């Protein structure tokens, strides 16, 4: 068994690369099937696989028993996304063995996030795990690893102060608005998307003095629900151009595979604002301007929007401006969080070591059951006059004898495996009980 991880994140790749390698929710089942299915007499790349794809990272976690290498996963990413390897390979990082466990436990704990301590990553790790379960690509190794990672994240959030301050992408987005504008008083804000990011943004915008909210979502029912909850205006997705003309600030966070806001939309919105100002109905600002914050990966807002006069465009990579300002509030909790993650890695490694004993113990149990059943059948043929109750007693006796005899070597082998000596003791048990002939 070998753990393998290939990935990239905000520290190794800009959003322009991350969005090209991102896996949508509908992509992931097919990708997991490709990773774990043999093709044309070629073995599967991975025997177990999980894909974690968020706005700040794309990571493939896998278990391989064969010759799968990091380069194999690079080729998979290139083929699946229709890219050339040289377009992204230099941005990838690779881990194997215990380093995979360390990275995942730290990630689920918010220690590898753009926004240190962000709360959403634990849910994203769980979603990736559940998607792999549904796809049938989870086995015992990754199941155990992800359980320890999720436990690490839960403990960090309950036992430390790591999540204090701007501890989510949406909170950081609102903080970025405040950094750029000073305050939100009198501002009209357009939220595009109806997911968790938008809902958290709505809460923070209102708490920071935004005058009014407009919510646009592809699903009108969800837009209406959020509008009622936050006393906002709901508009249909077809009304997005009009909504843009009403907004001073736009925060977009959909799961669209391509941009939904183009330069033409923003140019028309700014023209409408200019015309409205000319007739005295534009609002308090002397000249029309618009701040757009794109929290989506792939991006919701086309890059050339930034060239429109009066428009300021930010992406998730610009959140570093806020992260640096709020880092001091949570830095003291980092060492405690790292200790929790390390403890969960150690627990996972201890479990992995005990797995060295499993094959030998399984063969030992099978050999003992084969002998027990054969001897029991021979004895019962000679004791034909036994009643059903008596036969049950005799069978129970043989089972109890086997269990009692196997208990000491089983315990000894498990203890040896837990201390890293499982393979040597497994070989001894195999030789002593002649298990190789099975």
């Amino acid at each position: 068994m070998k753990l393998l991880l290939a990935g990239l994140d905000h520290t190794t790749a800009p959003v322009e690369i991350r969005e090209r390698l991102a896996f949508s929710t509908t992509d992931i089942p097919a990708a997991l099937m490709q990773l774990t299915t043999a093709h044309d007499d070629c073995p599967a790349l991975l025997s177990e696989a999980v894909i974690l794809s968020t706005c700040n990272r794309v990571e493939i976690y896998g278990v391989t028993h064969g010759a799968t290498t990091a380069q194999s996963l690079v080729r998979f990413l290139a083929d699946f996304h229709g890219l050339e390897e040289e377009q992204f390979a230099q941005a990838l990082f690779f881990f194997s063995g215990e380093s995979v466990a360390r990275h995942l436990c730290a990630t689920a704990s918010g220690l590898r996030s753009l926004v240190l301590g962000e709360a959403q990553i634990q849910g994203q790790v769980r979603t990736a795990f559940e998607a792999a379960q549904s796809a049938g690509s989870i086995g015992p190794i990754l199941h155990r690893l992800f359980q320890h990672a999720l436990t690490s994240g839960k403990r960090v959030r309950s036992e430390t102060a790591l999540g204090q301050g701007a501890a989510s992408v949406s909170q950081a987005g609102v903080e970025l608005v405040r950094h750029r504008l000073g305050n939100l008083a009198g501002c009209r804000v357009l939220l595009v998307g109806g997911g968790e990011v938008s809902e958290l943004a709505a809460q923070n915008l209102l708490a920071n003095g935004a005058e009014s909210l407009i919510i646009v979502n592809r699903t009108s029912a969800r837009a209406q629900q959020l509008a009622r909850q936050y006393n906002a205006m709901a508009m249909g997705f077809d009304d997005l151009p009009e909504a843009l003309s009403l907004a001073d600030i736009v925060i977009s966070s959909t799961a669209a595979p391509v941009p939904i806001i183009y330069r033409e939309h923003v140019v028309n919105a700014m023209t409408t604002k200019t015309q409205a100002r000319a007739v005295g109905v534009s609002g308090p600002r002397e000249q029309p301007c618009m701040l757009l914050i794109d929290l989506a990966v792939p991006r919701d807002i086309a890059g050339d929007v930034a060239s429109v006069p009066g428009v300021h465009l930010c992406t998730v990579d610009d959140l570093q401006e806020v992260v640096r300002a709020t880092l001091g509030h949570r830095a003291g909790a980092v060492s405690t969080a790292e200790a929790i993650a390390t403890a969960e890695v150690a627990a996972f490694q201890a479990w992995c070591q005990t797995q060295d004993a499993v094959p030998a113990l399984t063969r030992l149990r099978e050999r003992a059951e084969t002998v027990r059943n054969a001897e029991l059948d021979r004895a019962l043929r000679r004791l034909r006059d036994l009643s059903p109750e008596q036969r049950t007693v005799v069978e129970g006796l043989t089972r109890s004898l086997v269990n009692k005899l196997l208990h000491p070597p089983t315990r000894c082998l498990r203890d040896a495996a837990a201390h890293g000596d499982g393979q040597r003791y497994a070989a001894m048990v195999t030789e002593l009980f002649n298990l190789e002939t099975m």
Side-chain angles (χ1 to χ4, degrees):
M1 178 274 292
K2 179 182 178 182
L3 278 171
L4 192 62
L5 164 62
L8 50 77
D9 62 16
H10 62 281
T11 67
T12 66
V15 65
E16 292 83 3
I17 293 179
R18 299 200 307 273
E19 68 183 358
R20 301 186 73 181
L21 289 172
F23 291 88
S24 68
T25 302
T26 54
D27 285 338
I28 287 178
L32 290 171
M33 181 172 292
Q34 287 190 29
L35 285 166
T36 57
T37 302
H39 301 282
D40 300 326
D41 297 327
C42 294
L45 287 177
L46 303 169
S47 59
E48 302 180 31
V50 176
I51 293 174
L52 176 61
S53 184
T54 73
C55 63
N56 286 320
R57 65 183 53 76
V58 177
E59 297 174 347
I60 298 176
Y61 292 84
V63 175
T64 175
H65 294 283
T68 300
T69 63
Q71 184 58 39
S72 303
L73 296 182
V74 175
R75 284 196 297 270
F76 165 78
L77 286 168
D79 292 343
F80 191 89
H81 292 289
L83 301 173
E84 298 295 329
E85 293 178 15
E86 55 267 24
Q87 293 178 276
F88 63 88
Q90 290 185 340
L92 292 171
F93 51 75
F94 304 96
F95 295 119
S96 62
E98 184 178 344
S99 296
V100 177
R102 285 200 298 268
H103 180 82
L104 179 59
C105 287
T107 296
S109 301
L111 291 165
R112 298 289 183 268
S113 295
L114 171 66
V115 182
L116 182 65
E118 68 157 315
Q120 286 178 293
I121 184 58
Q122 186 179 9
Q124 292 166 338
V125 170
R126 182 178 298 281
T127 297
F129 170 68
E130 292 173 347
Q133 281 187 309
S134 298
S137 66
I138 280 278
I141 305 300
L142 289 185
H143 186 280
R144 177 67 65 143
L145 173 59
F146 272 76
Q147 290 302 312
H148 281 290
L150 290 168
T151 297
S152 180
K154 182 178 180 180
R155 289 184 57 196
V156 166
R157 265 163 266 294
S158 63
E159 298 175 24
T160 77
L162 193 66
Q164 292 181 358
S168 73
V169 169
S170 54
Q171 284 176 289
V174 175
E175 286 295 319
L176 181 59
V177 172
R178 294 182 61 197
H179 278 221
R180 294 297 177 90
L181 299 183
N183 65 74
L184 279 70
C187 290
R188 294 162 296 183
V189 184
L190 168 62
L191 294 177
V192 185
E196 182 182 5
V197 172
S198 289
E199 184 165 4
L200 289 173
Q203 296 170 6
N204 283 280
L205 287 164
L206 292 174
N208 283 280
E211 177 181 284
S212 60
L213 300 181
I214 305 168
I215 298 175
V216 170
N217 190 52
R218 287 190 184 277
T219 306
S220 59
R222 174 60 175 166
Q224 293 288 348
Q225 176 189 352
L226 289 175
R228 288 192 298 270
Q229 189 172 350
Y230 296 105
N231 194 28
M233 177 192 302
M235 299 182 71
F237 197 77
D238 291 340
D239 298 321
L240 179 57
E242 179 185 352
L244 286 168
S245 69
L246 300 174
D248 304 304
I249 301 165
V250 179
I251 300 179
S252 190
S253 58
T254 76
V258 295
I260 57 174
I261 299 176
Y262 289 91
R263 191 177 191 280
E264 178 186 359
H265 296 139
V266 177
V267 168
N268 291 340
M270 296 301 286
T271 298
T272 300
K273 284 175 172 288
T274 300
Q275 293 172 345
R277 183 173 64 85
V279 295
V281 295
S282 67
R285 297 187 183 277
E286 294 184 0
Q287 59 182 12
C289 64
M290 186 186 299
L291 172 62
L292 297 98
I293 299 181
D294 190 348
L295 300 181
V297 177
R299 287 173 292 177
D300 282 342
I301 305 173
D304 59 358
V305 164
S307 66
V308 178
V311 170
H312 304 277
L313 175 62
C314 302
T315 70
V316 288
D317 288 352
D318 295 305
L319 297 183
Q320 287 287 2
E321 177 181 321
V322 175
V323 171
R324 286 191 294 269
T326 60
L327 185 60
H329 299 301
R330 301 186 301 283
V334 170
S335 60
T336 303
E338 289 176 339
I340 290 172
T342 298
E344 292 301 326
V345 171
F348 171 71
Q349 288 299 113
W351 176 83
C352 286
Q353 290 176 334
T354 64
Q355 300 310 292
D356 289 339
V358 170
L361 289 175
T362 299
R363 292 196 301 270
L364 179 60
R365 172 64 64 176
E366 290 173 349
R367 168 59 62 84
E369 281 297 298
T370 298
V371 173
R372 185 186 73 83
N373 288 326
E375 294 302 316
L376 178 62
D377 289 343
R378 182 179 297 112
L380 292 178
R381 286 197 298 271
R382 297 172 61 185
L383 299 171
R384 296 179 180 177
D385 295 334
L386 293 180
S387 67
E389 292 79 7
Q390 291 170 328
R391 292 171 68 91
T392 299
V393 170
V394 172
E395 183 174 358
L397 172 65
T398 63
R399 195 180 302 278
S400 179
L401 284 171
V402 167
N403 288 338
K404 289 182 181 297
L405 286 170
L406 290 185
H407 180 69
T410 298
R411 184 180 60 187
C412 182
L413 182 50
R414 289 190 183 279
D415 289 345
H419 290 87
D421 209 11
Q423 292 184 350
R424 185 167 71 91
Y425 273 70
M428 292 168 57
V429 168
T430 298
E431 183 176 357
L432 286 169
F433 289 92
N434 195 26
L435 301 179
E436 291 289 2
T437 61
M438 293 184 62

